[in-house]
Amino acid sequence: GAGVSQSPRYKVAKRGQDVALRCDPISGHVSLFWYQQALGQGPEFLTYFQNEAQLDKSGLPSDRFFAERPEGSVSTLKIQRTQQEDSAVYLCASSLPGRGWGYTFGSGTRLTVV
Amino acid sequence: KNEVEQSPQNLTAQEGEFITINCSYSVGISALHWLQQHPGGGIVSLFMLSSGKKKHGRLIATINIQEKHSSLHITASHPRDSAVYICAVSPNYGGATNKLIFGTGTLLAVQP
C-alpha cells in the first residue's frame, strides 16, 4: 500500500480482555517498529522486526505484551489481560533496513482500557 | 534526565510569526528526526538530518553535532501549522535496532 495502515483505529477494551492490534507496513519495508505513546508523552519503543525476525523486544513492558510478524509483512501486537495502564496510542512504523532511511508511521491505534 | 529534551513544551504564535523549536540530546546519534503529529492523527516525518541544514518549503531544520542541538524553524507561520512537533534521535547504541528515542514534543498553536 501507499502508507502504513493500522487497525483498528480505536479500541475500547474491558480490563482483563485480550486485544490484537494490526499493522500493515509499506510493501518492501524490511524494518517494522511498534511504539507506545501515553497521553502527553513522546512515543516509547516497544519492539523491532527485521523481516519476520523479532530482533529487539526490550521495550515490551511485561509478558502480557506479545508481537509477531510471521511472514515478514503484516505484524500483530497482542496484549493479554489488559490493564488500565495499557491505555495509550500504539504506533507502528516501517522503514528500509539500515540507519540511512527515514520512517513512515501509521495513524496509530488508540487503546482505552475501562 | 531524558535523553532528548525539547523546548518550549507549549508555544502560541500569531499568524505570520517566525517560530523556533529547540531540541537537545545527550547521546551519540546517527541521525536526528523532526516529526509532526496532528491531534488524533499519525506522525509525519518532516526531516531526517545528520549534519548542517535542510529546508522544505517554510520549514528549516538545523543541527549542530558538536553541541548536540537541533532547531526547527517555521517561517511565515499559518494556523494549519498547529500541531505537535517531535524531535527524535537514532542513537548509535542499540546494535541492529535502529529505534528512535523521542522527545516529549512541542505543542504549537498558531492563531489567525
Side-chain angles (χ1 to χ4, degrees):
Chain A
V4 177
S5 177
Q6 289 189 248
S7 61
R9 190 78 174 83
Y10 302 93
K11 176 69 178 178
V12 178
K14 291 185 178 179
R15 192 169 54 183
Q17 185 179 349
D18 296 350
V19 298
L21 313 180
R22 176 189 168 105
C23 172
D24 198 342
I26 290 177
S27 178
H29 275 196
V30 167
S31 300
L32 185 146
F33 302 81
W34 284 97
Y35 290 89
Q36 180 190 57
Q37 185 176 23
L39 187 64
Q41 301 296 317
E44 293 196 358
F45 171 78
L46 292 176
T47 187
Y48 163 67
F49 290 86
Q50 185 169 314
N51 293 308
E52 70 278 3
Q54 189 175 20
L55 298 185
D56 189 338
K57 54 182 181 179
S58 62
L60 296 177
S62 77
D63 58 7
R64 295 185 297 104
F65 286 71
F66 172 77
E68 60 183 4
R69 194 186 185 196
E71 296 178 359
S73 55
V74 172
S75 177
T76 303
L77 176 67
K78 297 179 180 178
I79 309 173
Q80 297 177 325
R81 305 180 303 282
T82 53
Q83 301 178 5
Q84 282 191 314
E85 60 262 32
D86 300 335
S87 297
V89 174
Y90 290 86
L91 292 163
C92 177
S94 71
S95 173
L96 291 169
R99 294 182 179 275
W101 303 98
Y103 295 77
T104 302
F105 286 84
S107 296
T109 294
R110 180 176 296 278
L111 173 65
T112 304
V113 181
V114 298
Chain B
K1 190 178 187 296
N2 293 335
E3 291 171 300
V4 181
E5 299 271 2
Q6 284 184 239
S7 64
Q9 285 190 312
N10 295 281
L11 180 58
T12 300
Q14 293 299 122
E15 183 172 357
E17 285 185 1
F18 180 84
I19 289 164
T20 296
I21 300 171
N22 295 300
C23 176
S24 296
Y25 53 93
S26 57
V27 296
I29 68 169
S30 57
L32 182 142
H33 303 254
W34 281 103
L35 309 160
Q36 182 192 57
Q37 186 173 35
H38 285 277
I43 292 177
V44 175
S45 179
L46 299 175
F47 295 102
M48 181 177 76
L49 63 165
S50 55
S51 66
K53 176 180 175 178
K54 286 190 176 180
K55 184 176 189 294
H56 185 250
R58 296 181 293 106
L59 302 178
I60 303 166
T62 63
I63 188 168
N64 184 318
I65 295 293
Q66 287 73 31
E67 295 187 1
K68 294 186 174 177
H69 180 270
S70 176
S71 293
L72 177 68
H73 306 285
I74 305 175
T75 62
S77 60
H78 190 277
R80 64 175 175 265
D81 297 327
S82 299
V84 175
Y85 291 84
I86 304 174
C87 172
V89 300
S90 297
N92 282 334
Y93 64 80
T97 305
N98 190 20
K99 65 183 178 185
L100 295 178
I101 301 174
F102 290 80
T104 54
T106 295
L107 177 59
L108 171 65
V110 181
Q111 298 178 341

